[in-house]
Amino acid sequence: MVRKSVGSLREGDQLEEVYQARDKQLRANRHGNLYLQIDLADRTGVINCRMWNAGQSVFSGFDDGDLVKIRGRVQAHQGSLQVIATCVEKSSPEGHDPNEFQAAPDYDADKLLLRANELVRGIANFPLRALGETIL
């Protein structure tokens, strides 16, 4: 089965997937009921997740940076997508590629290095150009 990445989520999607937990918070709504708010991340992006009526036991069940298994539904809220979870539990990192949860750079490092070399070679002042070439 193909993994549902954050970047591929659409409104109405049902989820049962593993993501990396970031910035978890236990908050109280206006009625004093506790809910869990976390960011779910993978290499394609980050999406906010909320679990209503979550207590301290759910909150303390995992740490920031842990992989968590989420069950829930994707919905739109104030112009952005969010996940409303019915279950959040720590997941074992076994069987998951750690690179799936690292943000992918939005640039090509090789192209940037070539461009930097071009710029350094264009420096007219020899001592500065030599310094730049030494650094690169």
Side-chain angles (χ1 to χ4, degrees):
M1 186 164 129
V2 176
R3 188 176 173 290
K4 283 188 179 181
S5 66
V6 169
S8 70
L9 296 178
R10 300 291 175 254
E11 185 175 6
D13 285 353
Q14 293 288 336
L15 280 183
E16 187 165 342
E17 197 58 75
V18 174
Y19 300 100
Q20 184 181 49
R22 296 186 186 167
D23 193 27
K24 74 174 191 163
Q25 300 174 35
L26 190 60
R27 298 177 144 197
N29 67 15
R30 62 180 159 224
H31 301 294
N33 299 323
L34 296 177
Y35 68 94
L36 176 67
Q37 178 177 299
I38 57 174
D39 288 336
L40 305 176
D42 67 12
R43 73 179 345 243
T44 65
V46 178
I47 189 169
N48 187 264
C49 174
R50 293 183 185 193
M51 181 178 182
W52 305 115
N53 301 316
Q56 185 65 38
S57 62
V58 174
F59 180 76
S60 61
F62 63 93
D63 294 315
D64 280 350
D66 284 347
L67 297 183
V68 291
K69 184 175 183 179
I70 302 291
R71 272 189 299 231
R73 182 178 181 89
V74 180
Q75 71 176 34
H77 178 70
Q78 295 181 345
S80 297
L81 292 179
Q82 68 176 7
V83 174
I84 301 301
T86 56
C87 181
V88 177
E89 58 190 19
K90 185 174 180 176
S91 178
S92 169
E94 292 179 24
H96 297 285
D97 179 2
N99 292 327
E100 289 182 38
F101 305 100
Q102 299 299 319
D106 55 354
Y107 57 84
D108 183 345
D110 292 333
K111 285 183 181 178
L112 288 176
L113 182 58
L114 286 172
R115 179 66 179 136
N117 277 315
E118 288 173 8
L119 292 171
V120 167
R121 283 193 302 270
I123 297 173
N125 183 305
F126 177 76
L128 287 178
R129 182 174 62 239
L131 177 63
E133 289 171 348
T134 301
I135 291 171
L136 290 176

